Amino acid sequence: MTPAPISAAPITQDVLTIPRKTPKGGKPNLVGMTRDQMRAALIAAGTPEKAVKMRLGQVWQWIYFWGVRDFDRMTNLAKDYRALLAEHFVVEVPEVVTKQVSTDGTRKYLVRIAGGHEVEVVYIPETDRGTLCISSQVGCTLTCTFCHTGTQKLVRNLTAAEIVGQVMLARDDLGEWPNPGDRNVETRLVSNIVLMGMGEPLYNFENVRDGMKVVMDGEGIALGRRRITLSTSGVVPEIARTANEIGCLLAVSFHATTDEVRDVLVPINKKWNIATLLDALRDYPNLTNSERITFEYVMLDHVNDSKEDAYRLIELLRGIPAKVNLIPFNEWPGAPYKRSSGNRIHAFADILHNAGFSTPIRTPRGEDIMAACGQLKSATEKQRKSALKNAPKATAAE
Ligand code: SAH
Ligand code: SF4
């Protein structure tokens, strides 16, 4: 088959971060604040300093352990303290606009955030785990040529509240919060989180870090750091910070074995090339054999899937505790590539296996609802585009 044409795309980065407070003088949202921030906010609202430790613990548990958002239901707080909280704060998560459930059980939520923007969140149930794929930005500034999100211009970074809120709204939908008074939490429907939705998490580092700190906090949602995987296209300066300040597992969108091809597939490679990226990964703090870096490798027919590529990959990964996750390309309307054949994918995997690498082939999930990796793009954006396409020329040009 003829290789798909590939062309270099420009790198742009015009990231806009909105302040933590609700816009237009609204009350601050307690969701998404780190413990230190919430402590300061409670004091500023009139909580006496000597009571703040206890109050913080109580409010934190209501919000993140019990999933309670209504101050009136926080029954171990005095009535007038509940009134004080209600006067100063809100406890809000983003609104779910639509939910789609795939024939394989995958759920995709279209979520509306402040400003009317939308992001997608995907829940993937498996026998031994439930993985929630969350977004870190609306759109993406990067323009990886195989990624649907990459065709959507970045609108803005998500706040820490919006990042944590995605986990909370999924737990709402799955009915995962414990029953009142029942502390023996056995259910773990959302047992793992992957930052593999829309956006480049390392271009929104602080908010992703703060959001993940909240999610990992042992008094609340309490997901261990090894249950969180952050996927980056290769933002080299932030890689060591990911280990030091978040401590979660790392996945890297590698996708090519020569700079020539990676420059096109993952254009950030023009800024930090393969050698620079691998140096940063070799230095990834605390890396042990039990905590390997996942190298994601999208299988694009006759673009990056040859046997030579597999052998080159083995050489490149030498000395790095690595596992390779092969992702059969998920096609989207207008995509310039085709998925590699099963034979080519298996031949590639075998070469890596024989060299000692764990090389799972990712099973695409939720394809019928366009929930698979790299297919996410906000529905309004899609509708807007198709409206423009279908509109009479004069209107479209306006
Ligand atoms: N921006 C981050 C995280 C989001 S993308 C990153 O690039 O790593 C999550 C994963 O899906 C990445 O490995 C990405 O390269 C991959 N991906 C993107 N589009 C895809 C597609 N159409 N088919 C299969 N995988 C895709
Ligand atoms: Fe952005 Fe990741 Fe898609 Fe590249 S693969 S455009 S970095 S979301």
Side-chain angles (χ1 to χ4, degrees):
M1 200 167 174
T2 333
I6 49 179
S7 61
I11 306 174
T12 54
Q13 202 208 340
D14 52 354
V15 178
L16 189 102
T17 305
I18 67 157
R20 183 175 300 281
K21 280 192 179 176
T22 323
K24 299 199 187 87
K27 298 175 196 175
N29 191 359
L30 289 178
V31 172
M33 290 184 185
T34 60
R35 273 186 181 265
D36 284 348
Q37 288 163 344
M38 198 187 288
R39 186 176 186 281
L42 293 180
I43 291 173
T47 309
E49 290 233 13
K50 60 181 191 325
V52 77
K53 189 167 178 231
M54 184 176 71
R55 295 286 177 244
L56 172 62
Q58 290 168 321
V59 174
W60 190 276
Q61 280 202 4
W62 280 116
I63 298 175
Y64 294 117
F65 185 84
W66 301 109
V68 167
R69 308 217 175 116
D70 177 354
F71 293 115
D72 272 340
R73 287 183 52 216
M74 301 186 179
T75 45
N76 60 356
L77 301 176
K79 272 220 168 99
D80 50 353
Y81 190 67
R82 288 186 234 161
L84 177 132
L85 290 175
E87 192 190 323
H88 288 90
F89 303 109
V90 292
V91 182
E92 274 176 8
V93 304
E95 177 198 353
V96 176
V97 185
T98 54
K99 172 176 111 177
Q100 285 171 281
V101 183
S102 157
T103 48
D104 70 13
T106 300
R107 297 177 184 214
K108 181 167 86 170
Y109 309 99
L110 178 69
V111 169
R112 184 169 300 141
I113 57 171
H117 307 302
E118 287 164 352
V119 290
E120 291 181 325
V121 183
V122 177
Y123 176 70
I124 307 149
E126 288 171 274
T127 41
D128 60 337
R129 63 175 66 189
T131 303
L132 192 70
C133 178
I134 62 174
S135 294
S136 56
Q137 301 184 307
V138 185
C140 188
T141 45
L142 301 174
T143 48
C144 303
T145 42
F146 55 89
C147 174
H148 205 198
T149 310
T151 64
Q152 178 179 344
K153 206 174 170 303
L154 177 92
V155 184
R156 71 166 167 85
N157 277 343
L158 298 191
T159 61
E162 290 159 349
I163 293 169
V164 178
Q166 294 173 61
V167 181
M168 296 169 78
L169 65 87
R171 291 188 65 152
D172 290 349
D173 182 56
L174 296 163
E176 199 188 352
W177 300 107
N179 290 324
D182 180 7
R183 284 189 169 272
N184 298 320
V185 191
E186 300 259 314
T187 42
R188 267 294 179 192
L189 294 172
V190 176
S191 66
N192 292 67
I193 292 179
V194 292
L195 281 144
M196 293 186 187
M198 295 164 70
E200 168 48 62
L202 295 189
Y203 274 153
N204 186 14
F205 187 87
E206 281 79 12
N207 291 337
V208 166
R209 175 197 60 203
D210 290 354
M212 290 306 100
K213 286 224 151 108
V214 171
V215 166
M216 288 188 278
D217 188 289
E219 303 281 305
I221 298 171
L223 279 182
R225 63 174 194 88
R226 287 165 180 242
R227 295 197 168 268
I228 299 172
T229 303
L230 182 151
S231 174
T232 180
S233 56
V235 183
V236 164
E238 309 291 353
I239 283 179
R241 278 182 89 193
T242 306
N244 293 329
E245 297 180 35
I246 309 177
C248 60
L249 302 184
L250 189 70
V252 177
S253 294
F254 207 61
H255 305 321
T257 61
T258 63
D259 281 325
E260 199 192 347
V261 177
R262 196 163 190 271
D263 276 353
V264 175
L265 297 182
V266 190
I268 202 178
N269 195 67
K270 288 184 264 175
K271 210 166 186 174
W272 296 291
N273 66 12
I274 291 181
T276 314
L277 174 60
L278 291 174
D279 279 346
L281 297 176
R282 251 179 230 110
D283 294 342
Y284 195 68
N286 317 326
L287 202 60
T288 63
N289 250 318
S290 67
E291 273 180 40
R292 284 172 292 172
I293 294 176
T294 301
F295 284 76
E296 296 163 286
Y297 200 97
V298 64
M299 298 301 286
L300 304 172
D301 193 38
H302 285 88
V303 173
N304 63 354
D305 62 349
S306 69
K307 290 184 177 170
E308 291 71 33
D309 279 306
Y311 289 117
R312 264 196 302 269
L313 188 55
I314 292 167
E315 287 310 311
L316 290 170
L317 299 187
R318 243 176 239 298
I320 302 177
K323 85 176 207 183
V324 180
N325 203 332
L326 298 182
I327 317 174
F329 175 54
N330 296 309
E331 296 182 11
W332 37 271
Y337 305 106
K338 293 259 166 286
R339 179 182 290 184
S340 306
S341 67
N343 282 347
R344 287 178 78 84
I345 296 177
H346 283 106
F348 196 96
D350 285 348
I351 295 172
L352 287 153
H353 268 301
N354 292 339
F357 287 97
S358 156
T359 315
I361 300 169
R362 195 180 289 173
T363 320
R365 297 288 302 265
E367 283 183 298
D368 53 337
I369 55 167
M370 288 279 286
C373 260
Q375 291 185 324
L376 306 184
K377 185 162 172 171
S378 86
T380 40
E381 168 87 356
K382 279 178 261 183
Q383 278 155 10
R384 203 175 55 79
K385 285 250 162 77
S386 75
L388 276 178
K389 216 165 97 195
N390 298 333
K393 276 230 162 59
T395 323
E398 277 168 18

